[in-house]
Amino acid sequence: MHSGTSASGPGVEPGDDVAGGPGGSDHPAAPAVGRATITDVARVAGVSVATVSKVVNGRYGVAAATAERVLGVVEELGYESSLVARSLRRRQTNVIGVLVAEFEPFSTELLKGISAAINGTGYELLAYCGDAGRTDHVGWERRSLSRLAGTLIDGVVIVTPTLALPEHDGVPVVAIDPHTGPTGPATVDSDNLGGARMATEHLIGLGHTRIGYLGGRADLESARLRELGFREAMEAAGLTPDPDLVLEGGYRPDRSDRPTHDLLERPDRPTAVFAANDLSAIHVIQVAQELGLRVPEDLSVIGFDDVPEAAASTPPLTTIAQSLHEMGAEALRMVISMLESDATQPRHTRLPTRLVERASTAPPAA
């Protein structure tokens, strides 16, 4: 390979100045304000824009010393392609991606745990929303991985992926609460089955026997397990769930609005509702209040997740807490372990849940 010491040698574009380097006395001034551009990199490195483009895109035809100087300027100026440059030079970026379908309370709490756990590890985070504005939700994570893996990120945490995913081009993958359950890559989830039993047993223990259930999406393993836990707890208490009171809410307030009205506007409405996530449970409380029902005097409501909105609702929501911060932190630790020990054997971590009693549940009215 050419050493790059000759100004007329291969890899030097017309007009490139090969003298000096970043920080030298003949080093042009860096941009004073604003985000660095490819033109800034070219000016500071003393090369053409075409040369910078070749270097950051990994194309041939640039002398080694010139490429090294350009990459140094890229990192010095914080040029937006610095992750690509770092990857090309060191075959790694020291960046771990966190892919989410959307930034909502569940994924935001996971991100908080990941962000706290990454301190002191030497890695950086790239949070990426892969499903914003799309209607074809299934497969969003594969599209996101194809854009980021191998170039911008060394490993990835994927929140609630819709499909089982293999490692992508050697990039370690850990899935949090995957739709398909503990299959494919390493996973982290919560005890959805045990938590749902706990929620139902809490309502039964208060004296409720006519209990409505507002489930999640039918394609999610967590939703299947929570409904199963509800049914198992009812049956263990000698109660038969009324099919008319077991409805799908989709884990979203907009999708749960009609089923909630169906539950609460019945003449034989339930005295308690277990909603499979907090946002749906909070919506149940709001609809109940709109219909003139008092919570918990006329209707008890319990949720699942313990997102911050649960404690802030009126009344504060009784719920099953997932260790969301710890789930995020554990997923990050698993990715780093795979990166640093070359461990590729998938493993699965399931964290316990716990009951958080607040003011939205009480014994049924006489």
Side-chain angles (χ1 to χ4, degrees):
M1 176 178 286
H2 193 275
S3 66
T5 56
S6 169
S8 60
V12 180
E13 296 286 334
D16 286 356
D17 176 9
V18 299
S25 59
D26 55 348
H27 186 45
V33 294
R35 188 174 67 177
T37 66
I38 193 170
T39 303
D40 295 324
V41 174
R43 175 172 51 80
V44 174
V47 300
S48 68
V49 169
T51 296
V52 176
S53 177
K54 284 183 179 181
V55 171
V56 299
N57 288 290
R59 294 198 295 269
Y60 295 107
V62 180
T66 302
E68 187 69 17
R69 185 166 77 255
V70 170
L71 291 173
V73 173
V74 163
E75 291 202 1
E76 177 186 334
L77 299 186
Y79 176 55
E80 64 180 3
S81 292
S82 60
L83 292 180
V84 176
R86 196 190 307 173
S87 174
L88 291 170
R89 186 165 64 180
R90 301 202 312 243
R91 289 298 180 189
Q92 66 184 59
T93 63
N94 277 17
V95 174
I96 294 174
V98 183
L99 307 187
V100 301
E102 60 179 320
F103 292 110
E104 36 69 44
F106 178 80
S107 61
T108 300
E109 291 305 301
L110 293 170
L111 279 168
K112 290 177 183 177
I114 295 171
S115 179
I118 206 166
N119 289 334
T121 65
Y123 290 90
E124 301 171 12
L125 282 182
L126 174 66
Y128 186 86
C129 180
D131 201 26
R134 301 188 70 100
T135 56
D136 52 336
H137 302 292
V138 174
W140 65 268
E141 59 287 316
R142 287 187 173 173
R143 292 188 292 267
S144 300
L145 271 174
S146 68
R147 292 187 179 101
L148 305 178
T151 304
L152 294 179
I153 57 177
D154 295 337
V156 61
V157 175
I158 305 181
V159 179
T160 58
T162 58
L163 302 169
L165 294 168
E167 285 192 5
H168 185 92
D169 294 334
V171 174
V173 175
V174 175
I176 296 179
D177 193 27
H179 288 209
T180 55
T183 60
T187 62
V188 178
D189 63 10
S190 289
D191 184 6
N192 291 291
L193 181 67
R197 285 188 190 135
M198 200 183 309
T200 310
E201 289 166 355
H202 171 69
L203 296 175
I204 294 171
L206 290 172
H208 295 278
T209 58
R210 187 162 176 77
I211 301 172
Y213 179 76
L214 192 60
R217 284 169 39 192
D219 61 323
L220 294 181
E221 177 70 358
S222 64
R224 186 189 71 81
L225 289 172
R226 290 176 196 181
E227 181 174 338
L228 179 60
F230 163 74
R231 292 182 180 278
E232 287 184 352
M234 291 284 282
E235 291 167 4
L239 301 172
T240 301
D242 184 338
D244 293 335
L245 300 185
V246 179
L247 303 177
E248 181 180 325
Y251 281 155
R252 300 177 64 98
D254 55 344
R255 290 185 57 182
S256 66
D257 184 69
R258 185 65 263 164
T260 298
H261 279 273
D262 290 343
L263 284 173
L264 301 187
E265 291 176 349
R266 298 173 58 92
D268 57 346
R269 63 173 175 78
T271 63
V273 172
F274 171 23
N277 74 327
D278 285 347
L279 296 186
S280 297
I282 292 168
H283 190 67
V284 171
I285 292 176
Q286 293 169 343
V287 171
Q289 292 169 342
E290 291 169 3
L291 295 174
L293 299 174
R294 299 167 300 162
V295 177
E297 293 85 355
D298 301 319
L299 179 74
S300 285
V301 181
I302 190 169
F304 201 116
D305 285 338
D306 199 27
V307 297
E309 289 82 352
S313 69
T314 305
L317 180 67
T318 297
T319 190
I320 299 299
Q322 299 191 77
S323 301
L324 297 179
H325 289 190
E326 180 57 26
M327 288 172 69
E330 177 61 18
L332 178 75
R333 288 191 287 265
M334 290 167 69
V335 170
I336 292 176
S337 175
M338 292 176 185
L339 287 169
E340 297 186 348
S341 67
D342 235 3
T344 57
Q345 182 64 34
R347 62 191 180 96
H348 309 290
T349 299
R350 177 157 292 164
L351 299 178
T353 52
R354 60 188 175 85
L355 174 67
V356 179
E357 293 189 59
R358 296 195 180 102
S360 67
T361 53

